[in-house]
Amino acid sequence: MEAERVELLSVVEDHYGGVVVSLENQEPVDSELFSSILEASMNNWKQQRKKGVWLKLPILHSNLVHTAVKAGFKYHHAEPEYLMLVRWIPETPDTFPANASHRVGVAVFVVNDKKEMLVVQEKSGVFGGTALWKMPTGVVNEGEDLCDGAIREVKEETGIETKFVELLAFRQSHKSFFGKSDLMFVCMLEPLSSDIQIQASEIEAAQWMPVEDYAAQPFVQEHEQFDFVAKICSSKLDGNYTGFSNVPTCTSSGKKTYLYLSNSDASLLLASKQD
């Protein structure tokens, strides 16, 4: 009697000799049945000399995680709605790209025509309860440009409307949140309003403060990085520092993005673009 034919998992081939399996549009399946289907599929991929297998399990299929792990899969990354597992097939070192390695944040220098900067005191976090006046800071959302993230964070924390001026500096640190690296971009914004309305859940207080008073705070002077950023901001106001403007452009695949470059170069490129 002919053995019953086991169906195979549907896949999309990636660009590197591997396959991507997604169960997003599948009904819940029994783990034992899935084990048989996965085993048959793995044998098929081995015969086809496939390299890596990406297995995307939506939260609806969380019962299949143990089955996949028993079949040699390991975790790659997780999002609120799914878990991505991977398995390398050949007897060679795997070349799966690592999961995202950095968190991206912004520290925002908002300064008015009186050379007063927008500062806040936070209710919680590292600086909660310290009475330190600091720049508004926050994390850039997934799919959000730096310039837009900076504008949003200021609006959320203080109610101030702004427009992006320049990227002044950035720093990279390691072994930070969940062991990942951290990128913090210092952005300069111009205020379009002046009346402060604080985000009561996170912000204790906010005000406009002379830049020199901010820089004179003992904490700022005693901590090199804060002192350095304060000096950069002061130099910018004195006309002795040039940051990077955001120039709209497109990637090779046609996606809209921003290129950050010095103001003089940005002006030349935009002028040539208009000619």
Side-chain angles (χ1 to χ4, degrees), residues 133-246:
W133 290 104
K134 58 182 288 293
M135 297 179 188
T137 57
V139 178
V140 176
N141 292 331
E142 183 177 356
E144 184 178 44
D145 289 302
L146 283 174
C147 48
D148 295 332
I151 291 171
R152 175 185 54 76
E153 283 293 340
V154 170
K155 175 65 174 177
E156 288 178 354
E157 292 190 0
T158 68
I160 299 295
E161 301 282 356
T162 59
K163 71 174 183 178
F164 184 85
V165 178
E166 286 183 2
L167 170 63
L168 297 180
F170 72 92
R171 69 106 176 93
Q172 181 184 35
S173 63
H174 303 286
K175 301 296 180 183
S176 188
F177 301 92
F178 302 105
K180 300 293 186 179
S181 297
D182 185 65
L183 286 169
M184 177 67 77
F185 292 84
V186 181
C187 301
M188 180 177 180
L189 271 58
E190 177 185 332
L192 301 178
S193 62
S194 59
D195 293 334
I196 296 171
Q197 296 179 347
I198 65 171
Q199 184 181 34
S201 61
E202 296 184 12
I203 303 302
E204 185 68 39
Q207 67 171 334
W208 293 99
M209 172 183 283
V211 174
E212 58 270 21
D213 290 353
Y214 168 81
Q217 293 181 100
F219 182 92
V220 173
Q221 294 190 336
E222 293 167 7
H223 291 77
E224 185 178 41
Q225 186 169 274
F226 278 75
D227 186 47
F228 216 137
V229 170
K231 285 181 168 61
I232 288 173
C233 294
S234 295
S235 294
K236 173 62 186 177
L237 292 181
D238 292 338
N240 298 320
Y241 186 89
T242 301
F244 293 84
S245 297
N246 57 331

